[in-house]
Amino acid sequence: MKRKMRMVLASVLVVASLAMTAGAASYDNCADRLSDLGLFRGTGDGYALDRAPTRGEAATMLVRLLGKEAEAQELEYTAPFTDLANWQKPYVQYLYDNDLTNGITETIFDPDSACSAQMYTTFLLRALGYSDAAGGDFTYSGAVDYGESIGLVDIANCNETNFLRDHVAAMSLTALNTAVKGDADTKLLEKLVADGAVDQTAAADMLTFFDNYDSYVAASAAMSDETKMDVTADVQATVDVDGQQVMTLAMPMEMKMDMDLEHMDQSQISMTGAINLTMDESLVADGEQSSISQDVAYYYADGVYYMDMGGQKVKMDMSFEDALAQMGDMANMTETSTSEPICLIDSITTSGDVMTVTYSAAGMSNLVDDVLASMGMDEAATGVDFNMGDVTSSVTIENGVIRSMSMTAVINMGIEEMVMTMNMSMDMDINEVGDGVTVDIPADLDSYTDIIGGADAAA
């Protein structure tokens, strides 16, 4: 039992590492926002986000996002398709009249068959003013790739192998915050308001949400563009089993980075701090310690990764990107925090320089499930039922740049008859950026023991 529990706790830490940076795939939040604008309506089963969208539903969404629903409702049905329900006919008629859709035959539209990610991306691109006609902007087969290139499709909002109404809601919300073709200053929602298709008062809160989101993304990108940075962070975690605390973890760290963008492997990093871990004595084997307090240091210089774990010093040849991965979430947050898919975010509030971003807990759970499944660590393989609780990030933005950040997350796991809960937090301060940052590389790197085979052997 003790050995099993320790293995479970180790697994929780792996999952927690994923969860601190994961995205989402469950979007009631997006459906609610679209519903408030009159652009997304439920079925007899609510939003029915867990099933595939139909061709008829996709046609309806395209007409609404074109701002032509009122016009479509006035049309006489003369299209040749004989298999449409009455509610579907106005939308298909409008698209047919404007050469925006075809049936699968001259008389069959097949409205109840599944709409693919490729088809729905094509519809959204058309709503944004892009063309897939001969000589146009994109091809039908390349629609998803083209959508990625303009920010319409992202890692969170589109699943090509299991495309659901969930993704329709997420992609549609993303489309509303995407600039229309030929006018970088006008988002699709702004165009719909200007055209009278969406009520201005109803859209006001959404447009404020978009503005806050854009500010957040711009500040994150500005931080990511910094090549020299001095950052301190404190990671804290507790683990409870059936309501009883069994582990605490504290990791205070400082990282300094000097990136050479032309020769990344000539970049330098130092990350120093400590790992303080305490486990319930009932889970500790005889002769083992229940608490560990150990200084740690990681360095990267001249294409080599160095580790000092409590005086055990080793090194290995490694690329800069692999070194960042070895150093974990703190390094990756400073290096790759460029944006968050908008569908992940439930709310953004501002107070002075502080912006608080609240994420979709259900969405976080589902994407981490997808990540674990891709690693062969899903519930079917491990017997662990995973879900996320509240996830909140607060950032302080000064002059358009993030200067501090905090994140909290609650992670729940069901393991056989146990319920395990991890509460995690990370507080990070960006102390300095620019030429004033100096990376502290120790003088005794030659004393580190070489690990033959590099990163592959270490793994």
PDB file of all heavy atoms in Angstrom, residues 84-121:
ATOM      1  N   LEU A  84     -34.692  18.470 -46.724  1.00  0.00           N
ATOM      2  CA  LEU A  84     -34.509  19.455 -45.661  1.00  0.00           C
ATOM      3  C   LEU A  84     -35.763  19.599 -44.806  1.00  0.00           C
ATOM      4  O   LEU A  84     -36.888  19.598 -45.318  1.00  0.00           O
ATOM      5  CB  LEU A  84     -34.156  20.822 -46.250  1.00  0.00           C
ATOM      6  CG  LEU A  84     -32.841  20.927 -47.032  1.00  0.00           C
ATOM      7  CD1 LEU A  84     -32.718  22.311 -47.647  1.00  0.00           C
ATOM      8  CD2 LEU A  84     -31.655  20.624 -46.126  1.00  0.00           C
ATOM      9  N   ALA A  85     -35.563  19.744 -43.486  1.00  0.00           N
ATOM     10  CA  ALA A  85     -36.667  20.118 -42.604  1.00  0.00           C
ATOM     11  C   ALA A  85     -37.006  21.582 -42.845  1.00  0.00           C
ATOM     12  O   ALA A  85     -36.190  22.367 -43.358  1.00  0.00           O
ATOM     13  CB  ALA A  85     -36.260  19.896 -41.153  1.00  0.00           C
ATOM     14  N   ASN A  86     -38.194  21.972 -42.462  1.00  0.00           N
ATOM     15  CA  ASN A  86     -38.632  23.349 -42.717  1.00  0.00           C
ATOM     16  C   ASN A  86     -37.690  24.376 -42.096  1.00  0.00           C
ATOM     17  O   ASN A  86     -37.402  25.421 -42.698  1.00  0.00           O
ATOM     18  CB  ASN A  86     -40.057  23.549 -42.210  1.00  0.00           C
ATOM     19  CG  ASN A  86     -41.091  22.880 -43.095  1.00  0.00           C
ATOM     20  OD1 ASN A  86     -40.856  22.665 -44.284  1.00  0.00           O
ATOM     21  ND2 ASN A  86     -42.226  22.537 -42.520  1.00  0.00           N
ATOM     22  N   TRP A  87     -37.184  24.106 -40.871  1.00  0.00           N
ATOM     23  CA  TRP A  87     -36.319  25.084 -40.211  1.00  0.00           C
ATOM     24  C   TRP A  87     -34.976  25.230 -40.922  1.00  0.00           C
ATOM     25  O   TRP A  87     -34.314  26.274 -40.813  1.00  0.00           O
ATOM     26  CB  TRP A  87     -36.111  24.727 -38.744  1.00  0.00           C
ATOM     27  CG  TRP A  87     -35.244  23.512 -38.483  1.00  0.00           C
ATOM     28  CD1 TRP A  87     -35.679  22.245 -38.311  1.00  0.00           C
ATOM     29  CD2 TRP A  87     -33.822  23.479 -38.368  1.00  0.00           C
ATOM     30  NE1 TRP A  87     -34.617  21.402 -38.107  1.00  0.00           N
ATOM     31  CE2 TRP A  87     -33.463  22.134 -38.118  1.00  0.00           C
ATOM     32  CE3 TRP A  87     -32.817  24.445 -38.437  1.00  0.00           C
ATOM     33  CZ2 TRP A  87     -32.141  21.728 -37.961  1.00  0.00           C
ATOM     34  CZ3 TRP A  87     -31.500  24.047 -38.272  1.00  0.00           C
ATOM     35  CH2 TRP A  87     -31.160  22.709 -38.042  1.00  0.00           C
ATOM     36  N   GLN A  88     -34.570  24.198 -41.667  1.00  0.00           N
ATOM     37  CA  GLN A  88     -33.281  24.233 -42.352  1.00  0.00           C
ATOM     38  C   GLN A  88     -33.352  24.974 -43.690  1.00  0.00           C
ATOM     39  O   GLN A  88     -32.335  25.502 -44.175  1.00  0.00           O
ATOM     40  CB  GLN A  88     -32.797  22.795 -42.605  1.00  0.00           C
ATOM     41  CG  GLN A  88     -32.538  22.011 -41.335  1.00  0.00           C
ATOM     42  CD  GLN A  88     -32.415  20.519 -41.590  1.00  0.00           C
ATOM     43  OE1 GLN A  88     -32.910  19.995 -42.601  1.00  0.00           O
ATOM     44  NE2 GLN A  88     -31.772  19.810 -40.657  1.00  0.00           N
ATOM     45  N   LYS A  89     -34.529  25.023 -44.261  1.00  0.00           N
ATOM     46  CA  LYS A  89     -34.649  25.522 -45.636  1.00  0.00           C
ATOM     47  C   LYS A  89     -34.192  26.974 -45.819  1.00  0.00           C
ATOM     48  O   LYS A  89     -33.485  27.274 -46.787  1.00  0.00           O
ATOM     49  CB  LYS A  89     -36.089  25.351 -46.116  1.00  0.00           C
ATOM     50  CG  LYS A  89     -36.470  23.898 -46.360  1.00  0.00           C
ATOM     51  CD  LYS A  89     -37.917  23.765 -46.825  1.00  0.00           C
ATOM     52  CE  LYS A  89     -38.260  22.310 -47.097  1.00  0.00           C
ATOM     53  NZ  LYS A  89     -39.684  22.146 -47.532  1.00  0.00           N
ATOM     54  N   PRO A  90     -34.524  27.919 -44.936  1.00  0.00           N
ATOM     55  CA  PRO A  90     -34.087  29.301 -45.176  1.00  0.00           C
ATOM     56  C   PRO A  90     -32.568  29.448 -45.222  1.00  0.00           C
ATOM     57  O   PRO A  90     -32.035  30.195 -46.053  1.00  0.00           O
ATOM     58  CB  PRO A  90     -34.695  30.072 -44.003  1.00  0.00           C
ATOM     59  CG  PRO A  90     -35.828  29.235 -43.532  1.00  0.00           C
ATOM     60  CD  PRO A  90     -35.398  27.816 -43.761  1.00  0.00           C
ATOM     61  N   TYR A  91     -31.887  28.729 -44.336  1.00  0.00           N
ATOM     62  CA  TYR A  91     -30.431  28.858 -44.256  1.00  0.00           C
ATOM     63  C   TYR A  91     -29.762  28.254 -45.486  1.00  0.00           C
ATOM     64  O   TYR A  91     -28.866  28.860 -46.091  1.00  0.00           O
ATOM     65  CB  TYR A  91     -29.925  28.175 -42.983  1.00  0.00           C
ATOM     66  CG  TYR A  91     -30.571  28.718 -41.734  1.00  0.00           C
ATOM     67  CD1 TYR A  91     -31.606  28.026 -41.099  1.00  0.00           C
ATOM     68  CD2 TYR A  91     -30.173  29.943 -41.194  1.00  0.00           C
ATOM     69  CE1 TYR A  91     -32.210  28.535 -39.956  1.00  0.00           C
ATOM     70  CE2 TYR A  91     -30.769  30.455 -40.045  1.00  0.00           C
ATOM     71  CZ  TYR A  91     -31.798  29.740 -39.443  1.00  0.00           C
ATOM     72  OH  TYR A  91     -32.398  30.254 -38.322  1.00  0.00           O
ATOM     73  N   VAL A  92     -30.205  27.073 -45.852  1.00  0.00           N
ATOM     74  CA  VAL A  92     -29.618  26.424 -47.030  1.00  0.00           C
ATOM     75  C   VAL A  92     -29.960  27.224 -48.290  1.00  0.00           C
ATOM     76  O   VAL A  92     -29.126  27.361 -49.196  1.00  0.00           O
ATOM     77  CB  VAL A  92     -30.101  24.967 -47.150  1.00  0.00           C
ATOM     78  CG1 VAL A  92     -29.622  24.334 -48.454  1.00  0.00           C
ATOM     79  CG2 VAL A  92     -29.606  24.159 -45.950  1.00  0.00           C
ATOM     80  N   GLN A  93     -31.162  27.792 -48.348  1.00  0.00           N
ATOM     81  CA  GLN A  93     -31.537  28.610 -49.507  1.00  0.00           C
ATOM     82  C   GLN A  93     -30.599  29.791 -49.660  1.00  0.00           C
ATOM     83  O   GLN A  93     -30.121  30.088 -50.771  1.00  0.00           O
ATOM     84  CB  GLN A  93     -32.979  29.106 -49.353  1.00  0.00           C
ATOM     85  CG  GLN A  93     -33.480  29.921 -50.542  1.00  0.00           C
ATOM     86  CD  GLN A  93     -33.660  29.061 -51.790  1.00  0.00           C
ATOM     87  OE1 GLN A  93     -34.310  28.027 -51.731  1.00  0.00           O
ATOM     88  NE2 GLN A  93     -33.090  29.485 -52.905  1.00  0.00           N
ATOM     89  N   TYR A  94     -30.312  30.488 -48.561  1.00  0.00           N
ATOM     90  CA  TYR A  94     -29.412  31.642 -48.643  1.00  0.00           C
ATOM     91  C   TYR A  94     -28.029  31.205 -49.137  1.00  0.00           C
ATOM     92  O   TYR A  94     -27.451  31.839 -50.026  1.00  0.00           O
ATOM     93  CB  TYR A  94     -29.284  32.338 -47.288  1.00  0.00           C
ATOM     94  CG  TYR A  94     -28.340  33.521 -47.373  1.00  0.00           C
ATOM     95  CD1 TYR A  94     -28.801  34.772 -47.766  1.00  0.00           C
ATOM     96  CD2 TYR A  94     -26.977  33.365 -47.131  1.00  0.00           C
ATOM     97  CE1 TYR A  94     -27.935  35.851 -47.900  1.00  0.00           C
ATOM     98  CE2 TYR A  94     -26.096  34.427 -47.256  1.00  0.00           C
ATOM     99  CZ  TYR A  94     -26.581  35.659 -47.651  1.00  0.00           C
ATOM    100  OH  TYR A  94     -25.709  36.716 -47.807  1.00  0.00           O
ATOM    101  N   LEU A  95     -27.504  30.142 -48.574  1.00  0.00           N
ATOM    102  CA  LEU A  95     -26.164  29.682 -48.970  1.00  0.00           C
ATOM    103  C   LEU A  95     -26.160  29.203 -50.414  1.00  0.00           C
ATOM    104  O   LEU A  95     -25.194  29.455 -51.158  1.00  0.00           O
ATOM    105  CB  LEU A  95     -25.702  28.562 -48.039  1.00  0.00           C
ATOM    106  CG  LEU A  95     -25.552  28.941 -46.559  1.00  0.00           C
ATOM    107  CD1 LEU A  95     -25.120  27.730 -45.739  1.00  0.00           C
ATOM    108  CD2 LEU A  95     -24.548  30.082 -46.381  1.00  0.00           C
ATOM    109  N   TYR A  96     -27.231  28.547 -50.823  1.00  0.00           N
ATOM    110  CA  TYR A  96     -27.322  28.066 -52.208  1.00  0.00           C
ATOM    111  C   TYR A  96     -27.377  29.242 -53.185  1.00  0.00           C
ATOM    112  O   TYR A  96     -26.683  29.256 -54.209  1.00  0.00           O
ATOM    113  CB  TYR A  96     -28.565  27.190 -52.353  1.00  0.00           C
ATOM    114  CG  TYR A  96     -28.759  26.608 -53.729  1.00  0.00           C
ATOM    115  CD1 TYR A  96     -28.022  25.503 -54.143  1.00  0.00           C
ATOM    116  CD2 TYR A  96     -29.695  27.160 -54.614  1.00  0.00           C
ATOM    117  CE1 TYR A  96     -28.205  24.961 -55.411  1.00  0.00           C
ATOM    118  CE2 TYR A  96     -29.883  26.626 -55.879  1.00  0.00           C
ATOM    119  CZ  TYR A  96     -29.136  25.534 -56.279  1.00  0.00           C
ATOM    120  OH  TYR A  96     -29.320  25.006 -57.542  1.00  0.00           O
ATOM    121  N   ASP A  97     -28.159  30.257 -52.836  1.00  0.00           N
ATOM    122  CA  ASP A  97     -28.274  31.435 -53.712  1.00  0.00           C
ATOM    123  C   ASP A  97     -26.941  32.159 -53.861  1.00  0.00           C
ATOM    124  O   ASP A  97     -26.692  32.809 -54.884  1.00  0.00           O
ATOM    125  CB  ASP A  97     -29.306  32.421 -53.148  1.00  0.00           C
ATOM    126  CG  ASP A  97     -30.732  31.932 -53.303  1.00  0.00           C
ATOM    127  OD1 ASP A  97     -30.949  30.952 -54.041  1.00  0.00           O
ATOM    128  OD2 ASP A  97     -31.625  32.519 -52.654  1.00  0.00           O
ATOM    129  N   ASN A  98     -26.079  32.078 -52.849  1.00  0.00           N
ATOM    130  CA  ASN A  98     -24.821  32.826 -52.855  1.00  0.00           C
ATOM    131  C   ASN A  98     -23.594  31.937 -53.102  1.00  0.00           C
ATOM    132  O   ASN A  98     -22.464  32.348 -52.813  1.00  0.00           O
ATOM    133  CB  ASN A  98     -24.673  33.575 -51.530  1.00  0.00           C
ATOM    134  CG  ASN A  98     -25.648  34.721 -51.409  1.00  0.00           C
ATOM    135  OD1 ASN A  98     -25.402  35.827 -51.900  1.00  0.00           O
ATOM    136  ND2 ASN A  98     -26.792  34.463 -50.763  1.00  0.00           N
ATOM    137  N   ASP A  99     -23.857  30.727 -53.633  1.00  0.00           N
ATOM    138  CA  ASP A  99     -22.779  29.794 -53.998  1.00  0.00           C
ATOM    139  C   ASP A  99     -21.848  29.492 -52.823  1.00  0.00           C
ATOM    140  O   ASP A  99     -20.629  29.377 -52.980  1.00  0.00           O
ATOM    141  CB  ASP A  99     -21.954  30.352 -55.172  1.00  0.00           C
ATOM    142  CG  ASP A  99     -22.784  30.496 -56.431  1.00  0.00           C
ATOM    143  OD1 ASP A  99     -23.632  29.624 -56.684  1.00  0.00           O
ATOM    144  OD2 ASP A  99     -22.582  31.495 -57.148  1.00  0.00           O
ATOM    145  N   LEU A 100     -22.442  29.347 -51.632  1.00  0.00           N
ATOM    146  CA  LEU A 100     -21.644  29.097 -50.437  1.00  0.00           C
ATOM    147  C   LEU A 100     -21.759  27.665 -49.932  1.00  0.00           C
ATOM    148  O   LEU A 100     -21.082  27.288 -48.971  1.00  0.00           O
ATOM    149  CB  LEU A 100     -22.057  30.061 -49.322  1.00  0.00           C
ATOM    150  CG  LEU A 100     -21.710  31.534 -49.574  1.00  0.00           C
ATOM    151  CD1 LEU A 100     -22.324  32.420 -48.505  1.00  0.00           C
ATOM    152  CD2 LEU A 100     -20.201  31.721 -49.621  1.00  0.00           C
ATOM    153  N   THR A 101     -22.622  26.876 -50.536  1.00  0.00           N
ATOM    154  CA  THR A 101     -22.713  25.467 -50.148  1.00  0.00           C
ATOM    155  C   THR A 101     -23.283  24.656 -51.296  1.00  0.00           C
ATOM    156  O   THR A 101     -23.934  25.195 -52.194  1.00  0.00           O
ATOM    157  CB  THR A 101     -23.594  25.292 -48.894  1.00  0.00           C
ATOM    158  OG1 THR A 101     -23.414  23.982 -48.378  1.00  0.00           O
ATOM    159  CG2 THR A 101     -25.063  25.509 -49.206  1.00  0.00           C
ATOM    160  N   ASN A 102     -23.027  23.362 -51.250  1.00  0.00           N
ATOM    161  CA  ASN A 102     -23.543  22.423 -52.241  1.00  0.00           C
ATOM    162  C   ASN A 102     -24.140  21.221 -51.530  1.00  0.00           C
ATOM    163  O   ASN A 102     -23.825  20.946 -50.364  1.00  0.00           O
ATOM    164  CB  ASN A 102     -22.428  21.927 -53.176  1.00  0.00           C
ATOM    165  CG  ASN A 102     -21.824  23.047 -53.995  1.00  0.00           C
ATOM    166  OD1 ASN A 102     -22.542  23.781 -54.663  1.00  0.00           O
ATOM    167  ND2 ASN A 102     -20.509  23.177 -53.929  1.00  0.00           N
ATOM    168  N   GLY A 103     -24.993  20.507 -52.211  1.00  0.00           N
ATOM    169  CA  GLY A 103     -25.465  19.242 -51.691  1.00  0.00           C
ATOM    170  C   GLY A 103     -24.483  18.139 -52.033  1.00  0.00           C
ATOM    171  O   GLY A 103     -23.483  18.354 -52.727  1.00  0.00           O
ATOM    172  N   ILE A 104     -24.794  16.929 -51.548  1.00  0.00           N
ATOM    173  CA  ILE A 104     -23.922  15.807 -51.912  1.00  0.00           C
ATOM    174  C   ILE A 104     -24.330  15.244 -53.275  1.00  0.00           C
ATOM    175  O   ILE A 104     -23.551  14.522 -53.919  1.00  0.00           O
ATOM    176  CB  ILE A 104     -23.934  14.711 -50.841  1.00  0.00           C
ATOM    177  CG1 ILE A 104     -25.344  14.129 -50.670  1.00  0.00           C
ATOM    178  CG2 ILE A 104     -23.422  15.262 -49.511  1.00  0.00           C
ATOM    179  CD1 ILE A 104     -25.362  12.879 -49.789  1.00  0.00           C
ATOM    180  N   THR A 105     -25.559  15.560 -53.708  1.00  0.00           N
ATOM    181  CA  THR A 105     -25.995  15.324 -55.084  1.00  0.00           C
ATOM    182  C   THR A 105     -26.807  16.549 -55.504  1.00  0.00           C
ATOM    183  O   THR A 105     -26.971  17.496 -54.730  1.00  0.00           O
ATOM    184  CB  THR A 105     -26.869  14.056 -55.215  1.00  0.00           C
ATOM    185  OG1 THR A 105     -28.153  14.301 -54.620  1.00  0.00           O
ATOM    186  CG2 THR A 105     -26.207  12.845 -54.549  1.00  0.00           C
ATOM    187  N   GLU A 106     -27.348  16.520 -56.685  1.00  0.00           N
ATOM    188  CA  GLU A 106     -28.128  17.668 -57.150  1.00  0.00           C
ATOM    189  C   GLU A 106     -29.393  17.878 -56.322  1.00  0.00           C
ATOM    190  O   GLU A 106     -29.887  19.005 -56.213  1.00  0.00           O
ATOM    191  CB  GLU A 106     -28.494  17.480 -58.630  1.00  0.00           C
ATOM    192  CG  GLU A 106     -27.311  17.606 -59.567  1.00  0.00           C
ATOM    193  CD  GLU A 106     -27.743  17.549 -61.017  1.00  0.00           C
ATOM    194  OE1 GLU A 106     -28.966  17.399 -61.257  1.00  0.00           O
ATOM    195  OE2 GLU A 106     -26.874  17.647 -61.894  1.00  0.00           O
ATOM    196  N   THR A 107     -29.924  16.803 -55.702  1.00  0.00           N
ATOM    197  CA  THR A 107     -31.189  16.940 -54.968  1.00  0.00           C
ATOM    198  C   THR A 107     -31.088  16.556 -53.497  1.00  0.00           C
ATOM    199  O   THR A 107     -32.069  16.695 -52.766  1.00  0.00           O
ATOM    200  CB  THR A 107     -32.279  16.065 -55.626  1.00  0.00           C
ATOM    201  OG1 THR A 107     -31.847  14.703 -55.620  1.00  0.00           O
ATOM    202  CG2 THR A 107     -32.552  16.513 -57.059  1.00  0.00           C
ATOM    203  N   ILE A 108     -29.927  16.109 -53.055  1.00  0.00           N
ATOM    204  CA  ILE A 108     -29.754  15.665 -51.670  1.00  0.00           C
ATOM    205  C   ILE A 108     -28.720  16.556 -50.983  1.00  0.00           C
ATOM    206  O   ILE A 108     -27.557  16.609 -51.395  1.00  0.00           O
ATOM    207  CB  ILE A 108     -29.307  14.191 -51.593  1.00  0.00           C
ATOM    208  CG1 ILE A 108     -30.348  13.279 -52.248  1.00  0.00           C
ATOM    209  CG2 ILE A 108     -29.070  13.781 -50.153  1.00  0.00           C
ATOM    210  CD1 ILE A 108     -31.705  13.315 -51.593  1.00  0.00           C
ATOM    211  N   PHE A 109     -29.146  17.241 -49.928  1.00  0.00           N
ATOM    212  CA  PHE A 109     -28.221  18.041 -49.131  1.00  0.00           C
ATOM    213  C   PHE A 109     -27.603  17.214 -48.006  1.00  0.00           C
ATOM    214  O   PHE A 109     -26.484  17.474 -47.573  1.00  0.00           O
ATOM    215  CB  PHE A 109     -28.949  19.261 -48.543  1.00  0.00           C
ATOM    216  CG  PHE A 109     -28.030  20.203 -47.822  1.00  0.00           C
ATOM    217  CD1 PHE A 109     -27.253  21.122 -48.525  1.00  0.00           C
ATOM    218  CD2 PHE A 109     -27.912  20.177 -46.433  1.00  0.00           C
ATOM    219  CE1 PHE A 109     -26.387  21.985 -47.874  1.00  0.00           C
ATOM    220  CE2 PHE A 109     -27.051  21.032 -45.770  1.00  0.00           C
ATOM    221  CZ  PHE A 109     -26.280  21.938 -46.496  1.00  0.00           C
ATOM    222  N   ASP A 110     -28.326  16.224 -47.522  1.00  0.00           N
ATOM    223  CA  ASP A 110     -27.873  15.363 -46.416  1.00  0.00           C
ATOM    224  C   ASP A 110     -27.642  16.179 -45.141  1.00  0.00           C
ATOM    225  O   ASP A 110     -26.544  16.181 -44.579  1.00  0.00           O
ATOM    226  CB  ASP A 110     -26.600  14.618 -46.821  1.00  0.00           C
ATOM    227  CG  ASP A 110     -26.332  13.405 -45.945  1.00  0.00           C
ATOM    228  OD1 ASP A 110     -27.258  12.972 -45.244  1.00  0.00           O
ATOM    229  OD2 ASP A 110     -25.184  12.903 -45.943  1.00  0.00           O
ATOM    230  N   PRO A 111     -28.678  16.863 -44.642  1.00  0.00           N
ATOM    231  CA  PRO A 111     -28.492  17.801 -43.526  1.00  0.00           C
ATOM    232  C   PRO A 111     -28.159  17.138 -42.192  1.00  0.00           C
ATOM    233  O   PRO A 111     -27.631  17.798 -41.294  1.00  0.00           O
ATOM    234  CB  PRO A 111     -29.847  18.505 -43.440  1.00  0.00           C
ATOM    235  CG  PRO A 111     -30.815  17.501 -43.969  1.00  0.00           C
ATOM    236  CD  PRO A 111     -30.087  16.795 -45.078  1.00  0.00           C
ATOM    237  N   ASP A 112     -28.458  15.848 -42.062  1.00  0.00           N
ATOM    238  CA  ASP A 112     -28.256  15.199 -40.764  1.00  0.00           C
ATOM    239  C   ASP A 112     -26.943  14.436 -40.664  1.00  0.00           C
ATOM    240  O   ASP A 112     -26.647  13.850 -39.611  1.00  0.00           O
ATOM    241  CB  ASP A 112     -29.420  14.247 -40.476  1.00  0.00           C
ATOM    242  CG  ASP A 112     -30.745  14.982 -40.362  1.00  0.00           C
ATOM    243  OD1 ASP A 112     -30.736  16.119 -39.852  1.00  0.00           O
ATOM    244  OD2 ASP A 112     -31.778  14.433 -40.791  1.00  0.00           O
ATOM    245  N   SER A 113     -26.142  14.434 -41.720  1.00  0.00           N
ATOM    246  CA  SER A 113     -24.836  13.782 -41.620  1.00  0.00           C
ATOM    247  C   SER A 113     -23.866  14.711 -40.891  1.00  0.00           C
ATOM    248  O   SER A 113     -24.091  15.918 -40.779  1.00  0.00           O
ATOM    249  CB  SER A 113     -24.293  13.425 -43.002  1.00  0.00           C
ATOM    250  OG  SER A 113     -24.005  14.601 -43.744  1.00  0.00           O
ATOM    251  N   ALA A 114     -22.785  14.137 -40.404  1.00  0.00           N
ATOM    252  CA  ALA A 114     -21.852  14.890 -39.562  1.00  0.00           C
ATOM    253  C   ALA A 114     -21.079  15.932 -40.367  1.00  0.00           C
ATOM    254  O   ALA A 114     -20.660  15.686 -41.505  1.00  0.00           O
ATOM    255  CB  ALA A 114     -20.881  13.937 -38.881  1.00  0.00           C
ATOM    256  N   CYS A 115     -20.905  17.095 -39.748  1.00  0.00           N
ATOM    257  CA  CYS A 115     -20.054  18.151 -40.302  1.00  0.00           C
ATOM    258  C   CYS A 115     -18.640  17.952 -39.764  1.00  0.00           C
ATOM    259  O   CYS A 115     -18.443  17.802 -38.556  1.00  0.00           O
ATOM    260  CB  CYS A 115     -20.594  19.512 -39.884  1.00  0.00           C
ATOM    261  SG  CYS A 115     -19.475  20.893 -40.205  1.00  0.00           S
ATOM    262  N   SER A 116     -17.666  17.950 -40.640  1.00  0.00           N
ATOM    263  CA  SER A 116     -16.276  17.739 -40.235  1.00  0.00           C
ATOM    264  C   SER A 116     -15.627  19.053 -39.802  1.00  0.00           C
ATOM    265  O   SER A 116     -16.133  20.148 -40.070  1.00  0.00           O
ATOM    266  CB  SER A 116     -15.476  17.148 -41.391  1.00  0.00           C
ATOM    267  OG  SER A 116     -15.390  18.095 -42.457  1.00  0.00           O
ATOM    268  N   ALA A 117     -14.474  18.931 -39.144  1.00  0.00           N
ATOM    269  CA  ALA A 117     -13.695  20.119 -38.786  1.00  0.00           C
ATOM    270  C   ALA A 117     -13.301  20.890 -40.037  1.00  0.00           C
ATOM    271  O   ALA A 117     -13.299  22.123 -40.047  1.00  0.00           O
ATOM    272  CB  ALA A 117     -12.448  19.710 -38.000  1.00  0.00           C
ATOM    273  N   GLN A 118     -12.972  20.171 -41.078  1.00  0.00           N
ATOM    274  CA  GLN A 118     -12.581  20.799 -42.334  1.00  0.00           C
ATOM    275  C   GLN A 118     -13.729  21.637 -42.906  1.00  0.00           C
ATOM    276  O   GLN A 118     -13.542  22.785 -43.329  1.00  0.00           O
ATOM    277  CB  GLN A 118     -12.178  19.703 -43.308  1.00  0.00           C
ATOM    278  CG  GLN A 118     -11.619  20.161 -44.629  1.00  0.00           C
ATOM    279  CD  GLN A 118     -11.233  18.966 -45.484  1.00  0.00           C
ATOM    280  OE1 GLN A 118     -12.007  18.023 -45.650  1.00  0.00           O
ATOM    281  NE2 GLN A 118     -10.028  18.992 -46.022  1.00  0.00           N
ATOM    282  N   MET A 119     -14.932  21.064 -42.901  1.00  0.00           N
ATOM    283  CA  MET A 119     -16.090  21.786 -43.429  1.00  0.00           C
ATOM    284  C   MET A 119     -16.399  23.018 -42.586  1.00  0.00           C
ATOM    285  O   MET A 119     -16.643  24.105 -43.130  1.00  0.00           O
ATOM    286  CB  MET A 119     -17.314  20.872 -43.477  1.00  0.00           C
ATOM    287  CG  MET A 119     -18.592  21.573 -43.941  1.00  0.00           C
ATOM    288  SD  MET A 119     -20.051  20.498 -43.868  1.00  0.00           S
ATOM    289  CE  MET A 119     -19.625  19.293 -45.120  1.00  0.00           C
ATOM    290  N   TYR A 120     -16.389  22.860 -41.256  1.00  0.00           N
ATOM    291  CA  TYR A 120     -16.769  24.006 -40.427  1.00  0.00           C
ATOM    292  C   TYR A 120     -15.712  25.107 -40.492  1.00  0.00           C
ATOM    293  O   TYR A 120     -16.056  26.296 -40.483  1.00  0.00           O
ATOM    294  CB  TYR A 120     -17.012  23.596 -38.980  1.00  0.00           C
ATOM    295  CG  TYR A 120     -17.800  24.665 -38.259  1.00  0.00           C
ATOM    296  CD1 TYR A 120     -19.126  24.906 -38.601  1.00  0.00           C
ATOM    297  CD2 TYR A 120     -17.217  25.473 -37.299  1.00  0.00           C
ATOM    298  CE1 TYR A 120     -19.855  25.913 -37.984  1.00  0.00           C
ATOM    299  CE2 TYR A 120     -17.934  26.475 -36.669  1.00  0.00           C
ATOM    300  CZ  TYR A 120     -19.253  26.702 -37.027  1.00  0.00           C
ATOM    301  OH  TYR A 120     -19.969  27.715 -36.439  1.00  0.00           O
ATOM    302  N   THR A 121     -14.448  24.729 -40.576  1.00  0.00           N
ATOM    303  CA  THR A 121     -13.407  25.746 -40.745  1.00  0.00           C
ATOM    304  C   THR A 121     -13.616  26.499 -42.054  1.00  0.00           C
ATOM    305  O   THR A 121     -13.463  27.730 -42.108  1.00  0.00           O
ATOM    306  CB  THR A 121     -12.013  25.099 -40.725  1.00  0.00           C
ATOM    307  OG1 THR A 121     -11.848  24.349 -39.527  1.00  0.00           O
ATOM    308  CG2 THR A 121     -10.924  26.158 -40.800  1.00  0.00           C
TER     309      THR A 121
END
